[in-house]
Amino acid sequence: MSDQIDKPAGEPSEQTEISFADFQQLIRKMYFDKDDARGVDGTFMWLIEEIGELASALREGTQEEQSEEFADVLAWLTTIANVVNVDLTEAVHRKYGSGCPGCGHLVCTCPDEGKP
Ligand SMILES: [Zn+2]
């Protein structure tokens, strides 16, 4: 996204500009072997635990605690995508790249009773 895009993944600096693809690669480097060995079921349980921690932080945490929990949830979600070999950049682009999957608009106009 900026001049830092050519930085090798896995070497975050002070305020690193990190693309989604960089992040998935970084998470792969850090956790793939462990998480692949643990398996998707066990790793999914960790994701759910982190989602619980995010819920607590949203209820009574500080802004910093909330920020950390969002990062954790994203990391666990991403590591599971690695274990099942899903490219998140491609997945997000395919599903949301041209707007709401329900109505096709960039600002969703789906009826309120619908999920999006
Ligand atoms: Zn919509």
Side-chain angles (χ1 to χ4, degrees):
M1 309 208 178
S2 79
D3 51 328
Q4 299 192 29
I5 200 117
D6 56 348
K7 260 174 56 65
E11 291 170 23
S13 60
E14 321 74 51
Q15 184 67 16
T16 310
E17 288 271 342
I18 185 168
S19 73
F20 217 46
D22 290 341
F23 182 67
Q24 186 162 9
Q25 191 55 42
L26 178 65
I27 292 292
R28 172 179 292 278
K29 200 169 174 181
M30 286 193 285
Y31 301 120
F32 182 80
D33 289 345
K34 272 188 185 176
D35 292 339
D36 189 49
R38 182 191 300 115
V40 72
D41 287 17
T43 306
F44 189 81
M45 291 296 282
W46 279 107
L47 168 65
I48 298 309
E49 183 164 318
E50 289 300 336
I51 288 174
E53 290 178 15
L54 175 60
S56 299
L58 288 171
R59 281 235 165 97
E60 55 204 23
T62 64
Q63 176 76 24
E64 191 183 339
E65 287 163 346
Q66 291 174 359
S67 171
E68 281 178 20
E69 296 305 334
F70 274 107
D72 287 344
V73 167
L74 200 54
W76 282 101
L77 187 69
T78 302
T79 205
I80 293 169
N82 283 335
V83 171
V84 298
N85 201 28
V86 166
D87 180 329
L88 287 176
T89 303
E90 195 270 333
V92 167
H93 193 268
R94 184 154 36 86
K95 181 127 194 200
Y96 293 96
S98 24
C100 170
C103 64
H105 292 109
L106 285 177
V107 177
C108 175
T109 57
C110 292
D112 286 343
E113 57 273 14
K115 195 166 69 163

